[in-house]
Amino acid sequence: MASTEPKHENREEEEEAAGADDEDTGAQVAPIVKLEEVAVSTGEENEDPIIDLKAKLYRFDKDGNQWKERGAGTVKLLKHKETGKVRLVMRQSKTLKICANHLVLPTMTLQEHAGNEKSCLWHAPDFADGELKDELFCLRFASIENCKSFMEMFQEVAESQKKEENEDGSTAAGLLEKLSVEDKKPEEKNEGKVEDKTKEGDGKDENPSKDTEKKDESASA
């Protein structure tokens, strides 16, 4: 009868050889291509977020006379650190593509969507596609509270922008008035000089006439 012991020994040798192959040798392999970190600019570095909420954006298609989804993501109101201007920016959550990008103007007003307290509507000259387009937008939030918070903040920003415009207008008017006053002062000085010269000229004309009269009297004598 044949013995099975050699086969058993061969199996142990094969397992030991396989285990040796799986052992970590400690060698380090350097990558062929080195990737450097690249700073990605979002264009929002000089702006402070006023509000940041998740929502779904729709735009009204005039040709099809229907609402079309523009994207789902985060809508922000961003205030510029230097100019104080505020813009609305919304990016799609997965692709980060901009689906809304416009300034908040003093003339803008939001209104609640009829029959849906979680949604609001507004008109805006939007620049998301690289050119200004007059759009009718609709934002739908996850809750009524988020919708109300966004509407209140939007209206507050619009009113603040209106006040800043009025202040800028009054400042500009004051500067113009100041310039006009400064322009008038040199003219008044020049007019005074002209009057003085005319008076001096009149005084010089009187003396020659008297001299001629004296000469005539002496001649007749």
Side-chain angles (χ1 to χ4, degrees):
M1 185 174 67
S3 175
T4 59
E5 291 179 0
K7 292 183 179 180
H8 181 68
E9 291 177 357
N10 291 337
R11 287 179 183 175
E12 290 180 352
E13 291 176 357
E14 290 176 359
E15 290 177 357
E16 289 178 358
D21 293 339
D22 295 338
E23 289 181 359
D24 187 8
T25 59
Q28 295 181 355
V29 179
I32 299 174
V33 180
K34 292 183 178 180
L35 299 178
E36 297 180 356
E37 293 184 0
V38 179
V40 179
S41 176
T42 61
E44 303 174 7
E45 289 76 13
N46 294 326
E47 296 170 307
D48 294 325
I50 299 175
I51 194 169
D52 185 342
L53 295 170
K54 290 184 178 180
K56 185 175 286 186
L57 181 68
Y58 298 85
R59 62 174 290 272
F60 188 75
D61 183 14
K62 296 178 183 178
D63 297 332
N65 195 25
Q66 60 182 346
W67 288 99
K68 289 188 176 181
E69 183 176 340
R70 194 80 182 260
T74 303
V75 59
K76 301 178 183 179
L77 292 178
L78 303 173
K79 185 174 183 178
H80 199 276
K81 296 178 182 179
E82 296 179 0
T83 63
K85 299 293 183 182
V86 179
R87 65 170 177 149
L88 182 147
V89 178
M90 183 171 180
R91 297 177 182 269
Q92 295 179 2
S93 57
K94 294 181 179 179
T95 62
L96 298 180
K97 181 181 178 182
I98 294 178
C99 49
N101 181 21
H102 66 79
L103 289 173
V104 179
L105 303 176
T107 55
M108 291 181 179
T109 56
L110 266 72
Q111 58 182 359
E112 187 179 298
H113 192 286
N116 192 344
E117 295 181 356
K118 298 180 181 179
S119 302
C120 57
L121 308 170
W122 78 99
H123 284 274
D126 187 65
F127 198 74
D129 295 332
E131 59 180 358
L132 282 176
K133 292 182 181 179
D134 188 15
E135 299 282 6
L136 174 58
F137 287 126
C138 175
L139 269 177
R140 189 175 69 187
F141 295 90
S143 64
I144 299 175
E145 290 76 13
N146 286 351
C147 184
K148 288 183 178 180
S149 298
F150 179 80
M151 291 181 67
E152 290 175 359
M153 183 58 66
F154 191 100
Q155 293 301 136
E156 183 178 339
V157 169
E159 291 176 2
S160 66
Q161 295 296 307
K162 188 174 183 180
K163 290 180 181 178
E164 288 182 4
E165 278 195 357
N166 293 335
E167 290 176 359
D168 293 341
S170 60
T171 303
L175 290 173
L176 290 173
E177 185 178 356
K178 185 177 180 181
L179 288 173
S180 63
V181 170
E182 290 178 353
D183 290 340
K184 287 179 180 179
K185 286 181 179 179
E187 291 179 358
E188 291 175 356
K189 290 180 180 179
N190 292 332
E191 289 177 357
K193 290 180 180 180
V194 171
E195 290 178 358
D196 293 339
K197 288 182 179 180
T198 53
K199 288 179 180 180
E200 291 176 359
D202 293 340
K204 290 180 181 179
D205 291 340
E206 289 175 357
N207 293 330
S209 61
K210 290 180 179 180
D211 293 339
T212 52
E213 289 178 356
K214 289 179 180 180
K215 287 179 182 180
D216 293 338
E217 289 177 356
S218 59
S220 60

